[in-house]
Amino acid sequence: MASKDADPSLGYLTRKDTEVKLPRPTRVKNKTPAPIQITAEQILREARERQEAEIRPPKQKITDPTELADYRLRKRKEFEDLIRRVRWNQSVWIKYAQWEESQKDFNRARSVWERALEVDYRNHTLWLKYAEVEMKNKFINHARNVWDRAVTLLPRVDQLWYKYIHMEEMLGNVAGARQIFERWMSWMPDQQGWLSYIKFELRYNEVERARAIYERFVQCHPKVGAWIRYAKFEMKNGEIVRARNVYERAVEKLADEEDAEQLFVAFAEFEERCKETERARCIYKFALDHIPKGSAEDLYRKFVAFEKQYGDKEGIEDAIVGKRRFQYEDEVRKNPLNYDAWFDYIRLEESVGNKGRIREVYERAIANVPPAEEKRYWQRYIYLWINYALYEELDAGDMERTRDVYRECLKLIPHEKFSFAKIWLLAAQFEIRQLNLNGARQILGNAIGKAPKDKIFKKYIEIELQLGNIDRCRKLYEKYLEWAPENCYAWSKYAELERSLAETERARAIFELAITQPALDMPELLWKAYIDFEISEGEYERTRGLYERLLDRTKHLKVWISYANFEASAMEENDESLDLPQDGVQEYNHEAKKECVQRARRIFERAVNYYRTSAPELKEERAMLLEEWLKTESSFGELGDISVVQSKLPKKLKKRKQITSEDGGVTGYEEYFDYVFPEENQATNLKILEAAYKWKKQKITSDDD
């Protein structure tokens, strides 16, 4: 009788019976590491050694026919039960049939294969394995029957045809294999099927049969590749007339196809191999006339190679360049301002190498001047002139014409509205290459007079500096600064030139003149260059004066830090510039270092006072300044006093503020960092005490009342 707690879903067992009983976790009392450590490799080795032998089913030995019959009955029952469950699983059917084959019961095996095919006859794998079993056991007629049914039911599976034909060919039944091929060809297979049939016939030297198959092949697949294969077949057999006939028929049918270029190239190469150069030339010309220009690149290349080998220059020019020239002429006639078309046209003519034609195209191209005097319309056009000049100089070698090109180009450009520094510099560099320095100077002088630009000034100064003409460089710098007095680069370079010549006073005068300019594009670089100049000259008092003048103009954080760092580094400079006897040097050094420390500290104090009184809103800059001061004091070593700075360091607080939209609504909150300095803390504490005192006084008054 079943228990009350028994559960039918658990086979009438109780819940307690089905619980998984886990071992109780052992308590580790001693957690100290063992004196001998066990490696992972040792654990794995021990596990391997202690592993029990794999449990395998016992081998069954069949000793009499009764046991064999029982074994076969049992296995068949297993397979039949499995088939009933998974009828559509082809691997079960295959295993069943192969087992029957292993028992040498071929009739039963065939029965299994036939039943499997009834389930899914479209599965060509079943047909392949069925036929392979029949062939393996040398049941040729049975295999032939299987293949015949397979190709009848599945004529589009090429593998079945290949296997069937291979079997017949291996058996030496050539006529039967040919008959199968004919059955297959009636289904019009792909190109590979036809080529396999042709190879089959050629293996048995049946050239006429192969030719007939090729005729049917090109009718079934009228493509360029098929016709070319047919023609190559005839060529291989030495039938030149037949091969030419094939190519001609192909051209008649496929001249307007997309891949006709491949056909014409193959036809021309065939005639070339036959030493018929005139025929090949006619084919190339015919192809160039009929194929669209955009899809004939390979044809053009092949024709050029052909003409280079067999023809002359006129042939190349007439056949190739003539067509492309006509195309470009059409383009530039439609739009004369399409400068890209002119560039392509010129490149074509340069590839031919006819100087007269090249110059003619260049002259026609540069005659198309942009209609509007705006630089953006001229930017592409000007390269026609540049290429023309470079061609005349480098390829044609005509220096006078090159000079004329540059001269005419510079006349044409409206320098009052815009100019091109590139043209001026190219013209000047050309004259330098011709060793005509006066001509180069004249061109650059005209450039400065008509259309001054930074590039022109820099290049002209560089040329004169390389030639060692310092007076000319000075005049050029003066002109440069008259034209652009706000250019800090020019001022710095001018002063650098004078300094390189050991003209310290002139360099200083240039810097003084530069910093007095009302407008400068990058004044910070100019002041830095001036200060670095004075430091390099060892003029520390002048440097301090410069810093003070700079602080009159701006109280930027970087200026204060740079000033203080200068005073701190002056200590090292003084240390290096000492030239005293050994006695008293250390004492002098100590005093000098103390003075430098005091100077740097005074600068930092001035900066902190400025930010505290005049710019209290710049809290972050003030905090950065104090951090820099702290680093500097630390670098002073025993002379430094970091406690002076630490008492002034602020507290960094993270705060939130409202983000308001345009209509005044609150859209969210944004976090930011605020700095609270010690004096602000004290003021806050005093306000709290004052408020408490006031509240106490009011309370006493109310009690008295």
Side-chain angles (χ1 to χ4, degrees):
M1 187 172 178
S3 175
K4 291 182 181 179
D5 298 332
D7 190 350
S9 63
L10 300 175
Y12 295 98
L13 296 173
T14 61
R15 293 286 178 183
K16 190 173 182 180
D17 294 335
T18 58
E19 283 181 357
V20 179
K21 296 179 181 179
L22 298 173
R24 265 194 308 176
T26 57
R27 294 182 62 190
V28 181
K29 294 180 180 179
N30 186 5
K31 295 186 179 180
T32 58
I36 300 174
Q37 295 294 315
I38 300 174
T39 62
E41 183 182 0
Q42 188 175 349
I43 293 169
L44 291 173
R45 284 180 184 277
E46 290 181 2
R48 180 71 178 172
E49 289 170 1
R50 296 178 185 180
Q51 190 175 9
E52 295 180 359
E54 184 181 352
I55 299 172
R56 295 182 180 177
K59 290 184 179 179
Q60 186 177 7
K61 292 184 179 180
I62 299 171
T63 57
D64 60 358
T66 307
E67 288 184 4
L68 178 60
D70 289 343
Y71 164 71
R72 287 176 174 173
L73 181 64
R74 187 170 63 255
K75 288 294 288 184
R76 285 181 183 127
K77 185 175 184 306
E78 288 175 7
F79 277 120
E80 291 293 342
D81 291 343
L82 192 58
I83 284 170
R84 275 195 293 274
R85 288 200 302 271
V86 286
R87 178 182 173 82
W88 297 100
N89 191 341
Q90 64 175 5
S91 62
V92 177
W93 289 103
I94 293 170
K95 287 179 183 177
Y96 190 7
Q98 288 174 348
W99 180 82
E100 291 289 2
E101 180 197 356
S102 68
Q103 299 300 311
K104 304 300 181 182
D105 195 343
F106 297 109
N107 288 328
R108 283 183 179 274
R110 288 189 191 101
S111 174
V112 173
W113 284 117
E114 294 295 337
R115 288 166 62 197
L117 291 171
E118 285 178 5
V119 173
D120 184 13
Y121 74 91
R122 290 188 180 86
N123 190 341
H124 68 278
T125 307
L126 290 174
W127 290 104
L128 289 171
K129 289 189 177 294
Y130 187 9
E132 284 172 4
V133 168
E134 297 288 5
M135 288 192 298
K136 185 169 65 176
N137 293 286
K138 299 182 180 179
F139 295 114
I140 303 303
N141 287 329
H142 283 286
R144 195 172 279 133
N145 182 22
V146 172
W147 287 126
D148 193 74
R149 289 162 59 202
V151 297
T152 304
L153 292 171
L154 302 172
R156 293 298 178 190
V157 180
D158 294 346
Q159 192 177 4
L160 298 173
W161 292 103
Y162 284 125
K163 292 276 189 181
Y164 191 8
I165 292 164
H166 181 68
M167 184 191 78
E168 295 292 354
E169 196 172 356
M170 288 297 102
L171 294 171
N173 185 9
V174 178
R178 186 176 291 119
Q179 189 177 1
I180 297 164
F181 263 123
E182 288 295 334
R183 285 176 61 192
W184 188 14
M185 294 306 111
S186 65
W187 288 97
M188 294 186 179
D190 59 2
Q191 291 192 17
Q192 197 58 44
W194 288 95
L195 295 175
S196 299
Y197 192 8
I198 292 165
K199 286 179 183 177
F200 166 78
E201 294 293 356
L202 291 176
R203 277 200 295 272
Y204 299 101
N205 296 321
E206 296 286 349
V207 178
E208 287 299 327
R209 286 181 180 274
R211 185 174 290 121
I213 296 165
Y214 262 120
E215 286 290 340
R216 292 160 61 194
F217 174 36
V218 295
Q219 297 299 324
C220 180
H221 295 282
K223 302 223 168 134
V224 170
W227 284 99
I228 291 174
R229 281 179 182 275
Y230 187 11
K232 285 182 178 179
F233 160 76
E234 295 290 2
M235 182 68 181
K236 188 176 179 182
N237 290 300
E239 299 286 346
I240 294 174
V241 178
R242 287 179 182 272
R244 185 176 290 121
N245 183 31
V246 170
Y247 275 121
E248 289 171 355
R249 287 164 58 198
V251 168
E252 287 177 8
K253 293 186 177 182
L254 306 175
D256 298 328
E257 295 291 326
E258 291 182 0
D259 50 354
E261 179 191 10
Q262 185 182 354
L263 175 63
F264 283 114
V265 169
F267 193 5
E269 287 176 349
F270 160 75
E271 294 292 357
E272 191 177 340
R273 282 195 296 272
C274 296
K275 310 298 182 186
E276 296 283 351
T277 53
E278 286 303 319
R279 282 178 176 272
R281 186 175 285 110
C282 291
I283 292 164
Y284 277 123
K285 289 182 179 181
F286 178 81
L288 290 172
D289 288 337
H290 285 79
I291 294 178
K293 305 301 180 291
S295 59
E297 296 174 2
D298 189 43
L299 190 65
Y300 279 125
R301 190 172 65 253
K302 296 277 186 183
F303 189 25
V304 170
F306 169 79
E307 287 291 350
K308 284 181 179 177
Q309 187 174 0
Y310 299 104
D312 52 5
K313 266 192 172 181
E314 293 180 0
I316 299 172
E317 185 178 349
D318 291 340
I320 306 302
V321 181
K323 281 293 175 185
R324 295 178 67 183
R325 185 182 294 123
F326 177 78
Q327 180 185 354
Y328 288 132
E329 287 286 350
D330 187 46
E331 288 184 18
V332 298
R333 186 176 64 253
K334 290 177 182 175
N335 183 8
L337 299 178
N338 183 4
Y339 300 120
D340 289 329
W342 284 110
F343 281 123
D344 293 338
Y345 194 0
I346 291 164
R347 200 174 297 118
L348 169 68
E349 295 293 353
E350 286 181 349
S351 67
V352 176
N354 189 330
K355 290 184 181 179
R357 285 186 177 276
I358 295 168
R359 284 172 177 156
E360 179 191 352
V361 177
Y362 267 122
E363 292 293 338
R364 289 171 56 199
I366 60 178
N368 297 290
V369 182
E373 291 186 349
E374 292 184 28
K375 190 168 184 176
R376 60 195 178 98
Y377 296 118
W378 287 63
Q379 284 175 339
R380 193 75 177 138
Y381 167 73
I382 207 69
Y383 277 96
L384 287 171
W385 287 95
I386 293 172
N387 289 358
Y388 190 9
L390 292 175
Y391 166 76
E392 290 291 353
E393 180 186 359
L394 302 176
D395 292 348
D398 193 336
M399 303 308 159
E400 285 303 320
R401 286 185 69 92
T402 308
R403 192 171 283 114
D404 292 340
V405 170
Y406 280 123
R407 190 183 301 118
E408 292 299 323
C409 178
L410 291 171
K411 281 182 186 177
L412 184 65
I413 298 171
H415 299 291
E416 316 82 46
K417 296 186 177 180
F418 60 86
S419 185
F420 292 94
K422 186 186 289 291
I423 291 291
W424 292 105
L425 294 177
L426 285 172
Q429 287 166 349
F430 164 74
E431 295 295 349
I432 291 171
R433 286 194 292 273
Q434 303 307 312
L435 305 179
N436 184 8
L437 290 177
N438 290 330
R441 286 191 179 113
Q442 185 178 1
I443 290 169
L444 291 172
N446 289 337
I448 290 171
K450 290 183 178 180
K453 287 196 169 189
D454 284 331
K455 282 185 183 178
I456 297 172
F457 277 111
K458 289 176 185 176
K459 193 66 181 178
Y460 197 179
I461 291 167
E462 181 187 340
I463 292 168
E464 295 295 351
L465 193 58
Q466 288 174 350
L467 294 171
N469 295 325
I470 305 303
D471 290 335
R472 284 183 179 274
C473 290
R474 285 174 177 150
K475 287 179 183 177
L476 287 172
Y477 270 120
E478 290 169 6
K479 291 281 187 185
Y480 193 0
L481 293 169
E482 283 177 17
W483 173 66
E486 75 284 350
N487 193 330
C488 292
Y489 172 84
W491 288 106
S492 301
K493 285 294 181 182
Y494 191 8
E496 186 181 328
L497 171 68
E498 295 294 352
R499 186 190 168 198
S500 66
L501 299 170
E503 294 284 353
T504 308
E505 291 303 322
R506 289 179 69 94
R508 187 173 289 120
I510 290 165
F511 274 124
E512 286 292 335
L513 189 60
I515 61 177
T516 57
Q517 297 299 315
L520 293 169
D521 54 0
M522 288 186 291
E524 64 278 5
L525 297 182
L526 184 63
W527 279 94
K528 185 179 184 304
Y530 193 5
I531 289 167
D532 290 344
F533 163 74
E534 294 292 359
I535 292 172
S536 64
E537 294 294 327
E539 297 286 350
Y540 298 121
E541 288 302 323
R542 287 181 179 273
T543 307
R544 290 187 184 97
L546 277 177
Y547 271 117
E548 293 296 337
R549 290 162 65 188
L550 182 57
L551 286 171
D552 291 339
R553 291 174 178 246
T554 177
K555 297 289 194 301
H556 196 275
L557 173 65
K558 289 185 178 179
V559 179
W560 289 109
I561 292 174
S562 177
Y563 193 4
N565 288 337
F566 157 71
E567 292 292 0
S569 63
M571 173 179 66
E572 298 174 7
E573 296 291 339
N574 287 334
D575 191 12
E576 292 175 3
S577 61
L578 285 175
D579 189 12
L580 297 174
Q582 189 64 28
D583 298 337
V585 169
Q586 291 182 355
E587 184 179 353
Y588 178 81
N589 273 345
H590 187 71
E591 292 299 325
K593 288 179 181 179
K594 278 182 71 175
E595 185 180 353
C596 290
V597 169
Q598 293 298 328
R599 285 179 182 276
R601 194 173 287 150
R602 280 198 293 272
I603 300 301
F604 276 120
E605 287 173 353
R606 281 176 60 194
V608 170
N609 288 334
Y610 163 74
Y611 281 114
R612 185 175 61 246
T613 57
S614 302
E617 71 280 358
L618 301 176
K619 292 185 177 183
E620 189 173 357
E621 284 79 355
R622 184 177 168 190
M624 291 168 66
L625 179 71
L626 288 168
E627 287 176 7
E628 188 66 29
W629 188 3
L630 187 63
K631 288 180 187 176
T632 308
E633 290 287 350
S634 301
S635 67
F636 287 149
E638 60 182 10
L639 295 176
D641 186 6
I642 60 174
S643 61
V644 176
V645 188
Q646 285 176 340
S647 61
K648 299 180 180 182
L649 288 174
K651 289 183 180 179
K652 192 175 181 181
L653 301 176
K654 186 185 283 188
K655 295 186 176 181
R656 297 171 68 194
K657 62 180 179 181
Q658 291 182 349
I659 302 174
T660 57
S661 59
E662 295 179 357
D663 56 357
V666 178
T667 58
Y669 292 89
E670 180 185 7
E671 289 187 349
Y672 70 98
F673 288 102
D674 194 14
Y675 297 90
V676 178
F677 291 90
E679 65 270 12
E680 295 177 358
N681 237 342
Q682 292 174 6
T684 307
N685 292 338
L686 287 173
K687 286 180 181 177
I688 292 171
L689 288 172
E690 186 179 351
Y693 177 73
K694 190 175 180 182
W695 174 79
K696 182 70 175 175
K697 189 175 179 181
Q698 287 177 355
K699 189 176 181 184
I700 292 170
T701 307
S702 62
D703 288 344
D704 291 343
D705 292 341

